[in-house]
Amino acid sequence: MANPEKFDIIIVGAGVVGVASAYYLQKNNPDKSILLIDRLPAAGQANTAMSAAAVRNMFASSTNQLLTDTTIKFIEHIQSELDHDLMFEKTGYLWLLSEKKFKHDSVQMWMQRMKNSSIHYQVYEKDELKSMIPGLNVDFEGDEEAELMNLEQVDYGLFGADCGVLDPTKLVEFYLEEFKTMSDVKPMFGVNVTGLTLVADPPLDLPGEPHVWQNKRVGGVKTTEGDFKADTVVLTTGTWANELLDPVGIDSRTKAKKRQLFVVHAEDKEPLMDILFSRGFNDLGCIPFTILPSAGVYFRPQLQEKGFWVGCGDKFGRAYHYVQQDSYDNGESSYYENSIYPVLSKYFPGFQDSRPVNSWGGGYCYSPDAIPLVYKTNGIIAANGPSGSGIMKADAMARIADALYRGETHAELFGGKKMEANALSLQERKVEIESVII
Ligand SMILES: Cc1cc2nc3c(=O)[nH]c(=O)nc-3n(C[C@H](O)[C@H](O)[C@H](O)COP(=O)(O)OP(=O)(O)OC[C@H]3O[C@@H](n4cnc5c(N)ncnc54)[C@H](O)[C@@H]3O)c2cc1C
């Protein structure tokens, strides 16, 4: 390398979005030198590792449908044709809904939009659900506690068979290893980027430049290992987007919220094993990723551990705030015991008396419309704001970031589908508001 401190591209953040971006940028720009930096000791250790890693194409907005459907198809392609096991299992997704919710305009519109986009789904009625999931309590008639807790009964199930779960570390490994085979530049881990460097464009070598009357752009990064220059800095810093963008006067329009998962083992507990191995939904003979009708509680089946990862997407009352802590002290057992468990055990009495054996917490990076932001401005390309679904959108987001780098008007997503490269930008945003957020 002629000048080790200057690169064509520096990517800050090696979560799933960062490593996927590194892969496409290097693949489509083979002569460019690309430095990937993360402050953690390895790739994919922040929110990517904390995720439930479930993937669904069942969104209400056509933008999220496209981003996720193409990403999921690429995930399938990696596993089946590129022979890289991601532990992708098509468990399906199951929304349990009361009649009131099911008949609500928003759900009807959601189904209509899925139909328009050829996203496959199936509706189950209460009796069918009851026979497929014997451990499900569908009726709260006369249950005063359930009434007090505002729990809606189960009347319908909305099921998507093309959805599933995977191992996010294996997905990160795929992109990173492929990137490393193409790149001459070794990624840097354990290196914190403390700021972005502003340069005058063109430079006039004046003391103190860039001045207010000069054109300026980001020309590199300051790090705990020294300063590095780059023509383009790609920011895939997820929930920490504002740390680097605020100081240069860019409003990332994203905010972070803490989200947790609790591990409940089913082995040796017959009622839980019966729930886990509810048949009829998929070839695995297990219950799908399931979202309860009330309080935002959901669970992911975990077949390797024979258990469940339980979470909650509560909306109002949870602060926009997230600080990364030690992965395992973050679950807050009282949140499970007082908030999640009472709801879960009402719908699935088999969970009664079961307690988590493990828990962790991470952050969702929300955008105002729950659609990612991918844009190019002043020497920066930023890709963040996937709003709790970055694993299932990463491939498409990375392809868009690469198209922006190459100055293309359209990004080609997996399967040849096209998307306007500027559609997810701050200024020329062309998206619908997403309503199906977990
Ligand atoms: C509990 C939970 C459940 C979830 N479930 C799902 C799910 O089922 N499906 C799904 O699709 N998504 C899910 N998500 C969301 C998903 O995890 C994220 O959307 C995704 O991981 C975002 O990837 P990312 O690369 O943007 O961010 P991250 O994985 O957080 O990566 C950002 C990286 O940037 C690095 N970084 C930040 N600032 C700096 C700096 N200044 N210097 C150096 N490095 C820096 C960080 O160290 C980090 O490694 C879940 C999230 C949580 C917390």
Side-chain angles (χ1 to χ4, degrees), residues 13 15-17 38-39 47-48 51-54 192-193 364 388-392:
V16 68
V17 178
D38 202 292
R39 61 183 163 204
N47 294 308
T48 296
S51 80
N192 189 26
V193 174
Y364 276 14
S389 38
I391 310 290
M392 58 184 110

Side-chain angles (χ1 to χ4, degrees), residues 264-278:
V264 175
H265 280 175
E267 205 156 18
D268 302 329
K269 294 178 192 113
E270 211 183 307
L272 283 180
M273 289 295 271
D274 288 346
I275 297 169
L276 184 61
F277 293 105
S278 300

